Amino acid sequence: MPPGNVIGVDLGGTKLLAGAVDSGLVVHHRAWRASRERDQAELLDDLVDAVDELRAAMDWNVDAVGFGIPCLIDQEQGRALMAVNLPIADLAFRDVMSERLGIPVYIDNDANVAALVEQRFGAAQGAENVVMLTIGTGIGGGVVVNGESYRGGSGAGVELGHMVIDMDGPRCQGNCPNRGCLEAVASGTAMIREAERIARENPGTPLAIELERRGTLPGPLITELAHDGDAGARQALEHVGRRLGVGISSLVNIFEPEVVVIGGGVIGAGDLLLEPAREEFRARVLPVLADRPIVPARFGEEAGMLGAACLALDGQVRRTTA
Ligand SMILES: [Zn+2]
């Protein structure tokens, strides 16, 4: 039996991914659930259900569970304070889940754990200072400073997606009262909105035909059409990429990371998204910092799940050596 087996759970705005992971960060089983249109009680039931499914599938014991949740977190109390894109508010998440699962539970913001695993084993390996953005339904942010996750005073910090890049821009989404946040103009949701606008203005194009047929344009389809060369889909990705580059130039000016990592569902677009971001970034960042690389997450859409597993493995090491 390999030592230190955990489950990592990444709770996203549209789906949750759970993985049974050993101490070498090898994934043995995965479980998925939809997270859209669930209330808080249903979300917790789904989380427990996904963890139970993995525990039943494994022939070894699970020592702990790590959760990456798109939420502001009070680390000391283990409370989920508020989420922008999920119905989670003022919840004693760590206590509730550890009681229901009967094993130790560790929680952190989903983008913080993604940044941690990319810094330790992934695209930012070897760098001590890293900024990561995870782009999905919203935009999550993670910052590693001198090799450690930076979380602010209580653990609720580094909401990089709610950095304003356009003071009079569109209203931000969900529970954020601000306008023109990076999340409002460069998330997967913003990309879909942009692609649908382009489709309506260009009837007869592949993008417009798909919109008419489905009534909406799913993110992965936009990416697929863009890879196939559809001009409208490429334009939507470029639009989002440029706004991303504006945000990244501020983040690099502020944190001076050695590398910026981009992850989340939208990263399937690869350079179709990243090249416009790099171009905009180089034009705006303070010139001595213009050489900082902007790279895709190594672990792609699994960065959050693996990061949550990493959080649980770290927690167990601290627990046994304390
Ligand atoms: Zn916002």
Side-chain angles (χ1 to χ4, degrees):
M1 186 170 65
N5 300 301
V6 299
I7 288 173
V9 185
D10 178 27
L11 177 56
T14 53
K15 63 178 189 296
L16 75 87
L17 168 62
V21 178
D22 68 28
S23 55
L25 225 62
V26 176
V27 184
H28 293 260
H29 285 279
R30 291 172 178 81
W32 293 266
R33 297 287 185 281
S35 61
R36 212 186 259 284
E37 286 162 18
R38 296 281 200 280
D39 64 24
Q40 181 169 293
E42 289 166 338
L43 271 178
L44 294 182
D45 288 346
D46 284 346
L47 290 169
V48 171
D49 198 51
V51 170
D52 284 346
E53 179 188 321
L54 292 178
R55 288 170 95 175
M58 300 307 297
D59 53 10
W60 33 259
N61 282 327
V62 173
D63 299 325
V65 183
F67 289 95
I69 43 183
C71 198
L72 278 70
I73 290 167
D74 180 330
Q75 274 296 341
E76 199 160 316
Q77 306 290 326
R79 291 190 83 82
L81 301 176
M82 69 160 283
V84 171
N85 295 305
L86 282 174
I88 294 179
D90 195 28
L91 170 70
F93 193 98
R94 192 170 58 209
D95 289 350
V96 167
M97 292 311 268
S98 64
E99 192 179 312
R100 289 184 66 170
L101 296 169
I103 47 177
V105 163
Y106 303 91
I107 66 171
D108 202 346
N109 177 271
D110 59 337
N112 283 355
V113 296
L116 182 71
V117 76
E118 289 291 342
Q119 187 260 341
R120 210 165 305 159
F121 304 104
Q125 200 173 10
E128 288 286 291
N129 299 282
V130 178
V131 166
M132 179 162 182
L133 295 171
T134 60
I135 304 163
T137 313
I139 293 186
V143 175
V144 176
V145 175
N146 299 328
E148 303 263 348
S149 285
Y150 176 78
R151 301 187 179 95
S154 66
V158 297
E159 287 290 327
L160 306 182
H162 298 283
M163 171 179 64
V164 174
I165 67 162
D166 180 2
M167 183 171 128
D168 299 313
R171 254 296 312 274
C172 194
Q173 53 196 42
N175 298 319
C176 176
N178 214 336
R179 310 186 74 87
C181 296
L182 189 62
E183 172 161 318
V185 295
S187 60
T189 312
M191 180 190 72
I192 290 168
R193 201 172 54 233
E194 188 62 18
E196 291 180 352
R197 184 187 67 75
I198 293 166
R200 280 192 295 273
E201 288 172 3
N202 295 279
T205 57
L207 204 60
I209 292 163
E210 289 293 347
L211 177 60
E212 191 148 322
R213 199 159 68 85
R214 298 162 187 261
T216 179
L217 290 170
L221 176 72
I222 299 168
T223 304
E224 195 188 309
L225 287 172
H227 281 303
D228 290 346
D230 180 80
R234 289 190 170 203
Q235 205 184 324
L237 285 174
E238 183 179 337
H239 176 93
V240 165
R242 290 209 171 277
R243 277 143 192 82
L244 211 51
V246 174
I248 293 170
S249 66
S250 289
L251 293 171
V252 170
N253 285 340
I254 295 165
F255 292 104
E256 205 229 308
E258 291 128 77
V259 56
V260 177
V261 183
I262 309 294
V266 172
I267 200 57
D271 279 346
L272 292 173
L273 177 79
L274 293 184
E275 263 312 307
R278 290 180 186 121
E279 209 173 291
E280 200 66 43
F281 161 73
R282 285 193 292 263
R284 289 173 181 262
V285 73
L286 294 170
V288 293
L289 304 174
D291 62 344
R292 300 307 146 103
I294 301 171
V295 300
R298 172 177 170 190
F299 299 113
E301 290 194 60
E302 298 215 315
M305 181 271 283
L306 289 168
C310 210
L311 176 78
L313 288 165
D314 280 5
Q316 287 297 94
V317 169
R318 274 199 306 276
R319 198 184 183 90
T320 50
T321 54

